[in-house]
Amino acid sequence: MIGNEAYSFTNGLSGYHQVQIVEEDRKKTTFTTEWGSYAYHVMPFGLKNVPQVFSTIVIATFRDYIHMFLEVYMDDWIVHSLLKNHCSLLRVMFDRCRKLHISINLKKCISVVPFGILRGHIICKDEVCVELDKVK
């Protein structure tokens, strides 16, 4: 990731809430209220294996690109490259998302910048370092 000229920070919209639960497993998520019984159709927050399942899906989705021009951390993805290649590599990532129906939260995306912050780390051409505000 170090040594690149451009970085784009993207974020998967609603994370694992995009993951559909197969119909025969929906009954396993049933809960009851005074108004009736309900079951989830997408992965809910709070189930034990949901983060692991989502992480597995993301890694499988982007396996061909990870450590080449893309880094993933759950629902945060960084495209990194030389400036001349950056837009075409972003297109590759967006095409894969479109093909697999993965939505991106555009409000949290920052595209084609010389540096950025991810999970308390500043990422730029020369180094990856800890964000000083997080150390305090």
Side-chain angles (χ1 to χ4, degrees):
M1 195 160 27
I2 296 174
N4 291 293
E5 299 170 331
Y7 299 88
S8 290
F9 298 83
T10 58
N11 184 277
L13 181 67
S14 299
Y16 45 78
H17 295 292
Q18 296 186 53
V19 180
Q20 296 286 322
I21 297 175
V22 293
E23 189 150 354
E24 58 266 15
D25 289 340
R26 290 179 186 167
K27 63 184 173 212
K28 297 174 186 174
T29 68
T30 302
F31 60 96
T32 303
T33 69
E34 59 186 274
W35 302 283
S37 294
Y38 303 91
Y40 286 98
H41 290 232
V42 296
M43 294 273 200
F45 180 78
L47 293 181
K48 184 175 183 178
N49 293 330
V50 169
Q52 186 273 331
V53 168
F54 180 72
S55 180
T56 300
I57 290 168
V58 169
I59 290 169
T61 298
F62 297 120
R63 181 174 311 281
D64 302 341
Y65 313 137
I66 294 175
H67 304 312
M68 292 176 56
F69 67 87
L70 181 72
E71 304 303 325
V72 299
Y73 180 79
M74 294 298 286
D75 64 343
D76 294 318
W77 312 316
I78 304 172
V79 175
H80 52 88
S81 68
L82 298 175
L83 190 56
K84 65 181 180 178
N85 302 329
H86 199 75
C87 288
S88 63
L89 294 175
L90 269 175
R91 164 95 46 210
V92 168
M93 188 202 73
F94 290 145
D95 287 345
R96 179 66 59 96
C97 288
R98 185 179 302 115
K99 178 180 176 184
L100 297 173
H101 307 289
I102 296 173
S103 298
I104 293 175
N105 187 350
L106 294 177
K107 292 179 183 177
K108 291 186 175 182
C109 292
I110 301 170
S111 297
V112 195
V113 294
F115 67 92
I117 297 172
L118 176 71
R119 304 285 180 179
H121 291 80
I122 300 171
I123 299 166
C124 66
K125 182 177 183 176
D126 300 323
E127 64 184 342
V128 174
C129 58
V130 177
E131 188 179 6
L132 294 178
D133 291 344
K134 301 295 180 186
V135 175
K136 293 177 185 178

Short mmCIF file of all heavy atoms in Angstrom, two decimals, residues 10-54:
data_model
loop_
_atom_site.label_atom_id
_atom_site.label_comp_id
_atom_site.label_asym_id
_atom_site.label_seq_id
_atom_site.Cartn_x
_atom_site.Cartn_y
_atom_site.Cartn_z
N THR A 10 -13.40 3.45 0.30
CA THR A 10 -14.81 3.15 0.08
C THR A 10 -15.38 2.39 1.27
O THR A 10 -14.62 1.79 2.05
CB THR A 10 -15.02 2.34 -1.21
OG1 THR A 10 -14.27 1.14 -1.13
CG2 THR A 10 -14.58 3.12 -2.44
N ASN A 11 -16.69 2.40 1.37
CA ASN A 11 -17.36 1.79 2.50
C ASN A 11 -18.60 1.07 2.02
O ASN A 11 -19.42 1.64 1.30
CB ASN A 11 -17.73 2.89 3.52
CG ASN A 11 -18.34 2.33 4.77
OD1 ASN A 11 -19.52 2.06 4.80
ND2 ASN A 11 -17.53 2.16 5.80
N GLY A 12 -18.73 -0.19 2.40
CA GLY A 12 -19.91 -0.97 2.03
C GLY A 12 -21.14 -0.48 2.80
O GLY A 12 -21.09 -0.35 4.02
N LEU A 13 -22.19 -0.19 2.11
CA LEU A 13 -23.41 0.33 2.73
C LEU A 13 -24.06 -0.72 3.63
O LEU A 13 -24.35 -1.83 3.18
CB LEU A 13 -24.40 0.77 1.65
CG LEU A 13 -25.71 1.36 2.14
CD1 LEU A 13 -25.46 2.69 2.84
CD2 LEU A 13 -26.67 1.56 0.99
N SER A 14 -24.25 -0.39 4.87
CA SER A 14 -24.93 -1.24 5.85
C SER A 14 -24.24 -2.58 6.07
O SER A 14 -24.87 -3.51 6.59
CB SER A 14 -26.39 -1.48 5.44
OG SER A 14 -27.07 -0.25 5.38
N GLY A 15 -22.99 -2.70 5.68
CA GLY A 15 -22.22 -3.90 5.96
C GLY A 15 -22.95 -5.19 5.69
O GLY A 15 -23.48 -5.42 4.60
N TYR A 16 -23.01 -6.02 6.71
CA TYR A 16 -23.59 -7.36 6.50
C TYR A 16 -25.10 -7.36 6.41
O TYR A 16 -25.70 -8.42 6.19
CB TYR A 16 -23.11 -8.33 7.57
CG TYR A 16 -23.12 -7.81 8.99
CD1 TYR A 16 -24.29 -7.73 9.70
CD2 TYR A 16 -21.94 -7.41 9.58
CE1 TYR A 16 -24.28 -7.26 11.01
CE2 TYR A 16 -21.93 -6.93 10.87
CZ TYR A 16 -23.10 -6.86 11.58
OH TYR A 16 -23.09 -6.40 12.86
N HIS A 17 -25.76 -6.21 6.54
CA HIS A 17 -27.21 -6.17 6.32
C HIS A 17 -27.56 -6.35 4.85
O HIS A 17 -28.72 -6.47 4.50
CB HIS A 17 -27.80 -4.86 6.85
CG HIS A 17 -27.68 -4.73 8.33
ND1 HIS A 17 -28.37 -5.53 9.20
CD2 HIS A 17 -26.93 -3.89 9.08
CE1 HIS A 17 -28.05 -5.19 10.43
NE2 HIS A 17 -27.18 -4.21 10.39
N GLN A 18 -26.57 -6.37 3.98
CA GLN A 18 -26.78 -6.63 2.56
C GLN A 18 -26.85 -8.13 2.26
O GLN A 18 -27.25 -8.53 1.19
CB GLN A 18 -25.64 -6.05 1.73
CG GLN A 18 -25.53 -4.56 1.79
CD GLN A 18 -24.48 -4.08 0.84
OE1 GLN A 18 -24.49 -4.41 -0.34
NE2 GLN A 18 -23.55 -3.29 1.35
N VAL A 19 -26.43 -8.95 3.22
CA VAL A 19 -26.32 -10.39 2.99
C VAL A 19 -27.68 -11.05 3.23
O VAL A 19 -28.22 -11.01 4.34
CB VAL A 19 -25.26 -11.02 3.90
CG1 VAL A 19 -25.17 -12.52 3.66
CG2 VAL A 19 -23.91 -10.35 3.69
N GLN A 20 -28.24 -11.64 2.20
CA GLN A 20 -29.53 -12.33 2.29
C GLN A 20 -29.38 -13.65 3.04
O GLN A 20 -28.40 -14.37 2.86
CB GLN A 20 -30.07 -12.62 0.89
CG GLN A 20 -30.39 -11.40 0.07
CD GLN A 20 -31.65 -10.72 0.54
OE1 GLN A 20 -32.63 -11.37 0.92
NE2 GLN A 20 -31.63 -9.40 0.52
N ILE A 21 -30.35 -13.96 3.87
CA ILE A 21 -30.41 -15.26 4.54
C ILE A 21 -31.24 -16.18 3.66
O ILE A 21 -32.33 -15.80 3.23
CB ILE A 21 -31.04 -15.14 5.94
CG1 ILE A 21 -30.18 -14.25 6.82
CG2 ILE A 21 -31.24 -16.52 6.56
CD1 ILE A 21 -30.79 -13.97 8.17
N VAL A 22 -30.74 -17.37 3.38
CA VAL A 22 -31.50 -18.29 2.53
C VAL A 22 -32.82 -18.63 3.22
O VAL A 22 -32.91 -18.68 4.45
CB VAL A 22 -30.70 -19.58 2.20
CG1 VAL A 22 -29.51 -19.27 1.32
CG2 VAL A 22 -30.26 -20.29 3.45
N GLU A 23 -33.83 -18.82 2.42
CA GLU A 23 -35.20 -18.94 2.94
C GLU A 23 -35.35 -20.03 4.00
O GLU A 23 -36.01 -19.83 5.02
CB GLU A 23 -36.19 -19.18 1.79
CG GLU A 23 -37.60 -19.09 2.26
CD GLU A 23 -38.55 -18.62 1.19
OE1 GLU A 23 -38.11 -18.25 0.11
OE2 GLU A 23 -39.75 -18.65 1.47
N GLU A 24 -34.73 -21.17 3.80
CA GLU A 24 -34.90 -22.26 4.77
C GLU A 24 -34.22 -21.97 6.12
O GLU A 24 -34.53 -22.60 7.12
CB GLU A 24 -34.43 -23.61 4.22
CG GLU A 24 -32.98 -23.64 3.79
CD GLU A 24 -32.78 -23.35 2.32
OE1 GLU A 24 -33.71 -22.85 1.66
OE2 GLU A 24 -31.67 -23.61 1.83
N ASP A 25 -33.31 -20.99 6.16
CA ASP A 25 -32.65 -20.63 7.42
C ASP A 25 -33.29 -19.44 8.12
O ASP A 25 -32.94 -19.13 9.26
CB ASP A 25 -31.17 -20.34 7.19
CG ASP A 25 -30.37 -21.60 6.87
OD1 ASP A 25 -30.86 -22.70 7.22
OD2 ASP A 25 -29.28 -21.48 6.31
N ARG A 26 -34.21 -18.77 7.48
CA ARG A 26 -34.84 -17.58 8.08
C ARG A 26 -35.58 -17.93 9.37
O ARG A 26 -35.59 -17.14 10.32
CB ARG A 26 -35.78 -16.91 7.09
CG ARG A 26 -35.04 -16.26 5.96
CD ARG A 26 -35.96 -15.62 4.96
NE ARG A 26 -35.15 -15.13 3.84
CZ ARG A 26 -35.65 -14.75 2.69
NH1 ARG A 26 -36.96 -14.78 2.48
NH2 ARG A 26 -34.86 -14.31 1.74
N LYS A 27 -36.16 -19.12 9.42
CA LYS A 27 -36.91 -19.51 10.63
C LYS A 27 -35.99 -19.59 11.85
O LYS A 27 -36.46 -19.46 12.98
CB LYS A 27 -37.63 -20.83 10.40
CG LYS A 27 -36.72 -22.00 10.13
CD LYS A 27 -37.50 -23.26 9.80
CE LYS A 27 -36.50 -24.32 9.38
NZ LYS A 27 -37.05 -25.23 8.41
N LYS A 28 -34.70 -19.76 11.63
CA LYS A 28 -33.75 -19.82 12.75
C LYS A 28 -33.54 -18.46 13.39
O LYS A 28 -32.96 -18.37 14.47
CB LYS A 28 -32.41 -20.38 12.26
CG LYS A 28 -32.50 -21.80 11.75
CD LYS A 28 -31.21 -22.25 11.14
CE LYS A 28 -31.34 -23.62 10.50
NZ LYS A 28 -30.12 -24.01 9.79
N THR A 29 -33.98 -17.40 12.72
CA THR A 29 -33.83 -16.05 13.27
C THR A 29 -35.14 -15.51 13.84
O THR A 29 -35.23 -14.32 14.14
CB THR A 29 -33.31 -15.08 12.19
OG1 THR A 29 -34.32 -14.90 11.19
CG2 THR A 29 -32.02 -15.57 11.55
N THR A 30 -36.13 -16.35 13.98
CA THR A 30 -37.45 -15.92 14.41
C THR A 30 -37.42 -15.35 15.83
O THR A 30 -36.76 -15.88 16.72
CB THR A 30 -38.44 -17.10 14.36
OG1 THR A 30 -38.49 -17.61 13.03
CG2 THR A 30 -39.83 -16.69 14.79
N PHE A 31 -38.16 -14.26 16.00
CA PHE A 31 -38.37 -13.68 17.32
C PHE A 31 -39.84 -13.29 17.43
O PHE A 31 -40.51 -13.07 16.43
CB PHE A 31 -37.44 -12.49 17.57
CG PHE A 31 -37.63 -11.36 16.60
CD1 PHE A 31 -38.44 -10.27 16.92
CD2 PHE A 31 -36.98 -11.37 15.36
CE1 PHE A 31 -38.62 -9.23 16.02
CE2 PHE A 31 -37.15 -10.32 14.47
CZ PHE A 31 -37.98 -9.25 14.79
N THR A 32 -40.32 -13.22 18.64
CA THR A 32 -41.74 -12.97 18.86
C THR A 32 -41.93 -11.68 19.66
O THR A 32 -41.18 -11.42 20.60
CB THR A 32 -42.38 -14.15 19.62
OG1 THR A 32 -42.15 -15.35 18.88
CG2 THR A 32 -43.87 -13.96 19.80
N THR A 33 -42.92 -10.92 19.25
CA THR A 33 -43.31 -9.72 19.99
C THR A 33 -44.80 -9.83 20.29
O THR A 33 -45.45 -10.80 19.87
CB THR A 33 -43.05 -8.43 19.16
OG1 THR A 33 -43.97 -8.39 18.06
CG2 THR A 33 -41.62 -8.39 18.66
N GLU A 34 -45.34 -8.82 20.94
CA GLU A 34 -46.78 -8.86 21.22
C GLU A 34 -47.61 -8.73 19.95
O GLU A 34 -48.81 -9.00 19.95
CB GLU A 34 -47.16 -7.76 22.22
CG GLU A 34 -46.82 -6.36 21.75
CD GLU A 34 -47.06 -5.32 22.82
OE1 GLU A 34 -48.20 -4.83 22.92
OE2 GLU A 34 -46.10 -5.02 23.54
N TRP A 35 -46.98 -8.31 18.83
CA TRP A 35 -47.70 -8.13 17.56
C TRP A 35 -47.55 -9.34 16.62
O TRP A 35 -48.08 -9.35 15.53
CB TRP A 35 -47.21 -6.88 16.84
CG TRP A 35 -47.41 -5.65 17.70
CD1 TRP A 35 -48.58 -5.00 17.92
CD2 TRP A 35 -46.41 -5.00 18.44
NE1 TRP A 35 -48.38 -3.94 18.78
CE2 TRP A 35 -47.03 -3.92 19.12
CE3 TRP A 35 -45.04 -5.19 18.65
CZ2 TRP A 35 -46.35 -3.05 19.95
CZ3 TRP A 35 -44.36 -4.32 19.47
CH2 TRP A 35 -45.01 -3.27 20.12
N GLY A 36 -46.73 -10.31 17.00
CA GLY A 36 -46.57 -11.49 16.16
C GLY A 36 -45.14 -11.99 16.12
O GLY A 36 -44.26 -11.48 16.82
N SER A 37 -44.90 -13.00 15.29
CA SER A 37 -43.56 -13.57 15.12
C SER A 37 -42.97 -13.07 13.82
O SER A 37 -43.67 -12.94 12.80
CB SER A 37 -43.64 -15.10 15.10
OG SER A 37 -44.05 -15.57 16.36
N TYR A 38 -41.66 -12.80 13.86
CA TYR A 38 -40.96 -12.25 12.70
C TYR A 38 -39.64 -12.98 12.51
O TYR A 38 -39.07 -13.51 13.47
CB TYR A 38 -40.69 -10.75 12.89
CG TYR A 38 -41.95 -9.96 13.13
CD1 TYR A 38 -42.41 -9.73 14.43
CD2 TYR A 38 -42.70 -9.47 12.07
CE1 TYR A 38 -43.58 -9.02 14.66
CE2 TYR A 38 -43.87 -8.75 12.29
CZ TYR A 38 -44.29 -8.54 13.58
OH TYR A 38 -45.44 -7.83 13.80
N ALA A 39 -39.16 -12.99 11.28
CA ALA A 39 -37.86 -13.59 10.97
C ALA A 39 -37.10 -12.64 10.06
O ALA A 39 -37.69 -11.93 9.24
CB ALA A 39 -38.05 -14.95 10.29
N TYR A 40 -35.80 -12.62 10.21
CA TYR A 40 -34.96 -11.76 9.38
C TYR A 40 -34.81 -12.32 7.97
O TYR A 40 -34.74 -13.54 7.79
CB TYR A 40 -33.57 -11.62 10.01
CG TYR A 40 -33.54 -10.73 11.22
CD1 TYR A 40 -33.58 -11.28 12.50
CD2 TYR A 40 -33.48 -9.36 11.09
CE1 TYR A 40 -33.54 -10.47 13.62
CE2 TYR A 40 -33.45 -8.54 12.20
CZ TYR A 40 -33.48 -9.10 13.46
OH TYR A 40 -33.46 -8.30 14.57
N HIS A 41 -34.72 -11.45 6.99
CA HIS A 41 -34.45 -11.83 5.61
C HIS A 41 -33.00 -11.52 5.25
O HIS A 41 -32.47 -12.03 4.27
CB HIS A 41 -35.38 -11.08 4.64
CG HIS A 41 -36.79 -11.56 4.74
ND1 HIS A 41 -37.51 -11.96 3.65
CD2 HIS A 41 -37.63 -11.74 5.81
CE1 HIS A 41 -38.71 -12.34 4.04
NE2 HIS A 41 -38.80 -12.20 5.34
N VAL A 42 -32.37 -10.63 6.03
CA VAL A 42 -30.95 -10.29 5.85
C VAL A 42 -30.23 -10.52 7.17
O VAL A 42 -30.86 -10.61 8.23
CB VAL A 42 -30.75 -8.82 5.38
CG1 VAL A 42 -31.37 -8.61 4.02
CG2 VAL A 42 -31.31 -7.84 6.40
N MET A 43 -28.92 -10.59 7.12
CA MET A 43 -28.13 -10.82 8.33
C MET A 43 -28.36 -9.69 9.33
O MET A 43 -28.11 -8.53 9.01
CB MET A 43 -26.64 -10.88 8.00
CG MET A 43 -26.26 -12.05 7.16
SD MET A 43 -25.92 -13.42 8.23
CE MET A 43 -24.94 -14.41 7.15
N PRO A 44 -28.82 -9.99 10.54
CA PRO A 44 -29.03 -8.96 11.54
C PRO A 44 -27.78 -8.73 12.39
O PRO A 44 -26.88 -9.58 12.43
CB PRO A 44 -30.14 -9.56 12.41
CG PRO A 44 -29.87 -11.02 12.36
CD PRO A 44 -29.36 -11.29 10.96
N PHE A 45 -27.74 -7.60 13.04
CA PHE A 45 -26.68 -7.33 14.00
C PHE A 45 -26.91 -8.21 15.22
O PHE A 45 -28.03 -8.41 15.65
CB PHE A 45 -26.72 -5.86 14.40
CG PHE A 45 -25.66 -5.49 15.39
CD1 PHE A 45 -24.35 -5.31 14.97
CD2 PHE A 45 -25.96 -5.35 16.73
CE1 PHE A 45 -23.37 -4.97 15.88
CE2 PHE A 45 -24.98 -5.02 17.64
CZ PHE A 45 -23.68 -4.83 17.22
N GLY A 46 -25.84 -8.78 15.76
CA GLY A 46 -25.96 -9.50 17.01
C GLY A 46 -25.86 -11.01 16.93
O GLY A 46 -25.66 -11.66 17.95
N LEU A 47 -26.02 -11.60 15.75
CA LEU A 47 -25.83 -13.05 15.66
C LEU A 47 -24.34 -13.35 15.78
O LEU A 47 -23.49 -12.61 15.29
CB LEU A 47 -26.38 -13.60 14.34
CG LEU A 47 -27.89 -13.54 14.15
CD1 LEU A 47 -28.27 -14.14 12.81
CD2 LEU A 47 -28.62 -14.24 15.27
N LYS A 48 -24.00 -14.46 16.38
CA LYS A 48 -22.63 -14.78 16.74
C LYS A 48 -21.66 -14.79 15.55
O LYS A 48 -20.57 -14.24 15.63
CB LYS A 48 -22.60 -16.12 17.45
CG LYS A 48 -21.26 -16.52 17.96
CD LYS A 48 -21.32 -17.78 18.75
CE LYS A 48 -19.96 -18.13 19.32
NZ LYS A 48 -20.00 -19.32 20.13
N ASN A 49 -22.02 -15.40 14.44
CA ASN A 49 -21.09 -15.59 13.33
C ASN A 49 -21.22 -14.58 12.20
O ASN A 49 -20.55 -14.70 11.19
CB ASN A 49 -21.24 -16.99 12.75
CG ASN A 49 -20.79 -18.05 13.74
OD1 ASN A 49 -19.90 -17.81 14.55
ND2 ASN A 49 -21.40 -19.21 13.67
N VAL A 50 -22.08 -13.58 12.36
CA VAL A 50 -22.32 -12.64 11.27
C VAL A 50 -21.05 -11.91 10.81
O VAL A 50 -20.78 -11.85 9.61
CB VAL A 50 -23.44 -11.63 11.65
CG1 VAL A 50 -23.52 -10.49 10.68
CG2 VAL A 50 -24.76 -12.36 11.72
N PRO A 51 -20.23 -11.35 11.71
CA PRO A 51 -19.02 -10.68 11.22
C PRO A 51 -18.10 -11.61 10.43
O PRO A 51 -17.54 -11.23 9.40
CB PRO A 51 -18.33 -10.18 12.50
CG PRO A 51 -19.45 -10.05 13.48
CD PRO A 51 -20.39 -11.17 13.15
N GLN A 52 -17.95 -12.84 10.89
CA GLN A 52 -17.09 -13.80 10.20
C GLN A 52 -17.67 -14.16 8.84
O GLN A 52 -16.95 -14.24 7.85
CB GLN A 52 -16.92 -15.05 11.06
CG GLN A 52 -15.94 -16.06 10.50
CD GLN A 52 -16.57 -17.04 9.53
OE1 GLN A 52 -17.74 -17.37 9.64
NE2 GLN A 52 -15.80 -17.50 8.59
N VAL A 53 -18.98 -14.34 8.75
CA VAL A 53 -19.62 -14.66 7.47
C VAL A 53 -19.44 -13.50 6.51
O VAL A 53 -19.07 -13.69 5.35
CB VAL A 53 -21.12 -15.00 7.67
CG1 VAL A 53 -21.85 -15.05 6.34
CG2 VAL A 53 -21.27 -16.31 8.42
N PHE A 54 -19.68 -12.28 6.98
CA PHE A 54 -19.54 -11.11 6.12
C PHE A 54 -18.09 -10.95 5.65
O PHE A 54 -17.84 -10.70 4.47
CB PHE A 54 -20.00 -9.85 6.84
CG PHE A 54 -19.88 -8.62 5.99
CD1 PHE A 54 -20.74 -8.42 4.92
CD2 PHE A 54 -18.91 -7.68 6.23
CE1 PHE A 54 -20.63 -7.30 4.12
CE2 PHE A 54 -18.79 -6.56 5.44
CZ PHE A 54 -19.65 -6.37 4.38
#
